[in-house]
Amino acid sequence: GLLFLNYELLKRGCNTIYLGASMMLESLPFFKNKEAIPTFITYVTVQPTEKQLPAFLKQFDKKVANGDDIELWVLGQLAQKIKEKDLKPNQLVFKGISDVIGQIPDLVKS
């Protein structure tokens, strides 16, 4: 799913970096750029587990966003189990790839 979404983003003019199936949160700040604010997209199917999701979201906010306007978009089967109270304002849950594709115009700067 994530690889297909990467293709759709590229096809619609987004600059992307596909980081693969597994990436440590500690590595993500490397991709922060002062000229462009990245939007991170993750597809959760197995890891983190449902019980680990709140901690994962909190750690993303602390280790990656760290007060910046960096968004995390979350998709996948387990994403649907995220409780609203566990989300930060910069974290969005999508029901599926088509919902993310609908948001692409907001990502592409004219």
Side-chain angles (χ1 to χ4, degrees):
L2 194 55
L3 188 56
F4 175 73
L5 180 57
N6 187 65
Y7 165 77
E8 290 293 333
L9 290 166
L10 287 169
K11 188 170 98 173
R12 288 168 170 79
C14 294
N15 294 320
T16 71
I17 301 172
Y18 180 73
L19 299 175
S22 179
M23 175 64 65
M24 300 293 294
L25 283 177
E26 293 79 12
S27 300
L28 296 181
F30 173 80
F31 298 98
K32 291 168 71 171
N33 185 333
K34 295 190 188 300
E35 289 82 38
I37 299 171
T39 298
F40 290 95
I41 302 174
T42 189
Y43 204 98
V44 288
T45 54
V46 177
Q47 292 290 328
T49 65
E50 184 178 349
K51 286 177 112 177
Q52 295 169 328
L53 280 170
F56 169 77
L57 296 169
K58 186 175 181 179
Q59 288 298 313
F60 176 88
D61 200 54
K62 179 180 175 184
K63 293 180 179 182
V64 183
N66 196 20
D68 294 331
D69 290 334
I70 294 176
E71 291 187 355
L72 174 65
W73 293 6
V74 187
L75 301 101
Q77 179 182 346
L78 287 177
Q80 306 315 303
K81 298 181 186 266
I82 295 173
K83 294 173 179 54
E84 188 71 32
K85 69 178 181 71
D86 293 324
L87 291 169
K88 302 291 184 196
N90 62 320
Q91 299 171 343
L92 300 167
V93 174
F94 292 86
K95 290 184 181 179
I97 291 174
S98 60
D99 292 335
V100 174
I101 291 170
Q103 294 295 316
I104 291 174
D106 294 338
L107 291 176
V108 179
K109 306 270 191 260
S110 298

